[in-house]
Amino acid sequence: MSQVRLRFAPSPTGYLHIGGARTAIFNYLLARKLGGQFVLRIEDTDKERSKPEYEDEILNAMKWLGLSWDDSPLRQSLHKSFHRETVDELLERGAAYRDFLTIEDAKKLKDEAMRKGGLVAFRSPDRYLSAQEAEERAMSGEPHCVRFRIPDEAVIYQDGVHGRVEVGPDTLDDFVLLRQDNSPTYQVAVVADDYEMGISHVIRGDDHISNTPKQILIYKALNWKPPQFAHVPLILGSDRKRLSKRHGATAVTEYRKQGFLAEAVLSYLALLGWSPGDDREIMTMDELVEAFDISGINNHSAIFDEQKLEWMNGRFISLKPTNELVELIEPQYVEKVRAGVLPEETQQMLPIAVELLKTRVRYPQEVLEKGHYFFKDPETIEDRKAAKKRLKDDDLPERLERLADEYQKLAEAFNAQSCEDALRSLAEELEIGTGKLIHPTRLAVSGQGAGPSLFEMLEALGVDSVTRRMRWLAEFLREKGTPPDLGSDEDN
């Protein structure tokens, strides 16, 4: 057990949810930090609920997050024989016994003990059968399960998150290792598999903390060294209840479909309940690996904040190279072209739009939504409040046409600097503030009251597009008046 090996053991009975993804991330980070291995185990023993499509989705989601694993995944359903051998070993050592009670009779004994206020932890009367009698009854075909024999001593271990944990024997049932149908239970399967895989550390959710004393007892009974355990508090919603669909999407693939970047989801989940010891909120995979330590995991539940995730997504978008963002957005652009929403001939504007808007969006697809004016002329003034505030001067149509004339004169010298110089020069000539021209020009070329640098936007759009849109707004204002009649604010 000298080699560091950590595992993630998903059950393919559903999609990879946020809590499971965070557990996988923590295990991955510690494995890489300690120079060890990160391996997978597919816990597919639930044949009715396990589905290949769920398994594919889980593996694809992990690849998307950048959680590469070592070795081929171990499939738990193929190791039942080893699980049964482990149970046989426990029987031979006297650490387990055969219980011939029916499930109904066992439940009656438990209920009766609780009514009498006696020992709550279940002990079957059959634990006192001689090994010979139990073996003879089993060989005769009498139905039975195999239970672990809880020793009369406390289980004490050091949890990586919660510190010293002590569990008394009177709180632990003689739990089942092998069901009456000869199928191994989770408790023995996970111990046998972790031992066979050489797992040195186990990071998992607090919902497993009740299993740990039982599993440690199995390790001790077999003289196997148990791994180091760390139990992470569960993720809660904003109402401080366990995270569920009512709080928003919980599957990793849903966030991918919504336009979240893998880097953002990875960084957010890693920092959800763990701290690198400083105020960093944006971290790359390399930075996370370098900083990760179990001691940084909080011992109280973390609150999932989707707005914080959106903010983080925006930060990662702003830092991402433009060409990589273009590759992400291009398929959506093509879809809009096919739907007739955007023209195909302006696709060359996509890199420019991304460069100018990537610091102003929280999702990649917002480049196409907020920056549609890079690809086609605006059909109206979208920002009605800005229109009422910025388009109220009666002589504004003439000013826009004057500025359009000046821009037309620039021809091949039309760039951000020359556009700014021409605008400021005209404002000085007209003896007005530059804002009297800047804001109407922005509304003319984009239909919006805010956006990227106006003059960089003008250069990107080109002189023909800019002057055509400015003259359109001048004519629009002559027809609608100043400020233009755009209907009620409720229609906006």
Side-chain angles (χ1 to χ4, degrees):
M1 191 78 71
S2 59
Q3 185 182 22
V4 171
R5 282 171 65 89
L6 287 94
R7 50 78 169 174
F8 178 55
S11 175
T13 56
Y15 298 114
L16 179 63
H17 56 81
I18 290 299
R22 186 185 65 166
T23 299
I25 290 169
F26 285 171
N27 279 280
Y28 177 89
L29 294 178
L30 185 60
R32 298 299 183 238
K33 173 64 178 292
L34 300 178
Q37 292 184 319
F38 174 69
V39 293
L40 291 185
R41 179 170 69 241
I42 307 300
E43 297 192 340
D44 58 345
T45 53
D46 188 339
K47 290 300 182 183
E48 292 185 2
R49 297 174 58 217
S50 295
K51 298 183 182 300
E53 55 267 32
Y54 289 143
E55 182 177 330
D56 291 342
E57 186 277 339
I58 291 170
L59 299 183
N60 288 332
M62 291 183 65
K63 290 176 183 176
W64 180 66
L65 290 171
L67 306 179
S68 58
W69 54 88
D70 305 295
D71 301 336
S72 298
L74 183 145
R75 193 170 297 280
Q76 193 173 62
S77 61
L78 300 180
H79 288 251
K80 286 186 177 179
S81 60
F82 181 60
H83 304 156
R84 295 189 184 102
E85 290 172 9
T86 304
V87 174
D88 290 341
E89 178 69 18
L90 290 168
L91 282 169
E92 291 179 11
R93 291 171 177 262
Y97 63 91
R98 303 181 191 277
D99 181 13
F100 298 90
L101 287 178
T102 64
I103 295 175
E104 294 76 14
D105 288 341
K107 184 177 185 304
K108 288 179 181 178
L109 288 177
K110 289 181 183 180
D111 293 343
E112 184 179 351
M114 291 184 68
R115 282 196 301 270
K116 292 180 177 180
L119 184 67
V120 175
F122 177 74
R123 303 288 185 264
S124 171
D126 288 350
R127 84 183 328 243
Y128 306 106
L129 292 176
S130 67
Q132 182 179 351
E133 181 182 353
E135 183 67 20
E136 290 175 353
R137 291 174 66 177
M139 292 298 292
S140 70
E142 187 174 348
H144 66 281
C145 67
V146 176
R147 292 182 181 274
F148 188 86
R149 192 189 303 273
I150 298 293
D152 189 23
E153 59 184 45
V155 179
I156 302 173
Y157 69 97
Q158 191 72 18
D159 189 281
V161 175
H162 299 287
R164 185 179 185 276
V165 177
E166 180 174 346
V167 180
D170 56 345
T171 64
L172 298 173
D173 287 344
D174 281 359
F175 57 92
V176 176
L177 298 168
L178 198 67
R179 302 181 185 91
Q180 289 191 7
D181 63 3
N182 205 37
S183 62
T185 63
Y186 169 79
Q187 302 295 359
V188 70
V190 72
V191 169
D193 288 340
D194 279 349
Y195 174 77
E196 185 178 27
M197 297 174 75
I199 300 304
S200 61
H201 299 70
V202 172
I203 303 177
R204 56 189 180 184
D206 262 353
D207 51 337
H208 283 284
I209 201 165
S210 62
N211 294 322
T212 303
K214 303 172 186 177
Q215 292 166 12
I216 289 176
L217 287 173
I218 296 175
Y219 277 104
K220 291 182 66 175
L222 294 166
N223 291 326
W224 293 349
K225 182 180 178 181
Q228 298 178 38
F229 290 97
H231 294 88
V232 183
L234 302 179
I235 300 173
L236 304 180
S238 56
D239 56 1
R240 297 192 174 275
K241 295 182 179 179
R242 188 166 181 171
L243 193 66
S244 66
K245 289 185 178 180
R246 69 177 179 275
H247 300 108
T250 58
V252 171
T253 48
E254 285 299 310
Y255 287 99
R256 183 179 185 179
K257 291 175 183 176
Q258 289 177 21
F260 285 91
L261 301 184
E263 305 96 305
V265 176
L266 172 73
S267 184
Y268 179 76
L269 291 181
L271 293 166
L272 191 62
W274 169 76
S275 171
D278 50 39
D279 296 329
R280 281 181 290 177
E281 292 186 301
I282 303 294
M283 298 181 71
T284 65
M285 178 68 86
D286 289 343
E287 291 170 337
L288 289 168
V289 169
E290 182 180 359
F292 190 78
D293 191 283
I294 290 180
S295 63
I297 298 176
N298 298 326
N299 60 6
H300 57 271
S301 295
I303 305 298
F304 185 81
D305 184 349
E306 190 158 325
Q307 290 185 340
K308 178 68 174 292
L309 175 56
E310 289 178 356
W311 169 84
M312 189 173 288
N313 202 49
R315 287 290 308 276
F316 273 99
I317 288 173
S318 68
L319 297 171
K320 200 172 186 67
T322 295
N323 64 313
E324 294 182 18
L325 284 172
V326 170
E327 290 180 6
L328 284 175
I329 300 171
E330 269 182 332
Q332 299 170 53
Y333 183 91
V334 172
E335 287 181 9
K336 288 184 179 292
V337 169
R338 290 173 179 169
V341 177
L342 293 176
E344 184 177 4
E345 60 270 17
T346 56
Q347 187 169 351
Q348 75 278 1
M349 293 295 293
L350 187 55
I352 299 171
V354 170
E355 180 64 29
L356 293 179
L357 289 172
K358 69 179 185 178
T359 60
R360 308 181 67 86
V361 298
R362 293 195 172 187
Y363 301 95
Q365 63 267 28
E366 284 186 325
V367 169
L368 301 179
E369 297 165 2
K370 292 186 174 182
H372 62 83
Y373 54 84
F374 281 103
F375 311 101
K376 64 178 184 178
D377 291 358
E379 297 175 357
T380 186
I381 305 300
E382 298 173 23
D383 192 335
R384 297 187 176 186
K385 290 183 179 179
K388 289 184 177 181
K389 181 178 181 181
R390 305 298 186 183
L391 305 180
K392 60 186 178 181
D393 294 341
D394 292 337
D395 54 356
L396 185 55
E398 288 73 21
R399 293 179 191 168
L400 286 170
E401 290 184 334
R402 284 281 306 275
L403 183 57
D405 290 340
E406 294 300 317
Y407 282 164
Q408 201 76 55
K409 294 176 185 177
L410 295 174
E412 295 181 0
F414 188 84
N415 55 49
Q417 188 60 57
S418 65
C419 286
E420 182 177 359
D421 293 343
L423 184 146
R424 294 188 182 281
S425 178
L426 180 60
E428 185 175 350
E429 179 184 337
L430 297 175
E431 298 182 345
I432 59 174
T434 55
K436 295 283 187 177
L437 290 175
I438 288 176
H439 298 298
T441 301
R442 180 183 293 281
L443 285 165
V445 298
S446 70
Q448 300 174 7
S453 165
L454 172 65
F455 302 111
E456 290 182 1
M457 183 168 62
L458 298 181
E459 179 180 345
L461 290 169
V463 63
D464 292 340
S465 179
V466 167
T467 55
R468 180 178 64 251
R469 296 178 186 188
M470 292 177 71
R471 297 187 197 283
W472 168 83
L473 180 57
E475 186 61 29
F476 180 85
L477 293 176
R478 288 193 179 98
E479 293 180 2
K480 298 287 186 178
T482 51
D485 181 11
L486 297 171
S488 67
D489 287 339
E490 294 179 358
D491 297 330
N492 189 14

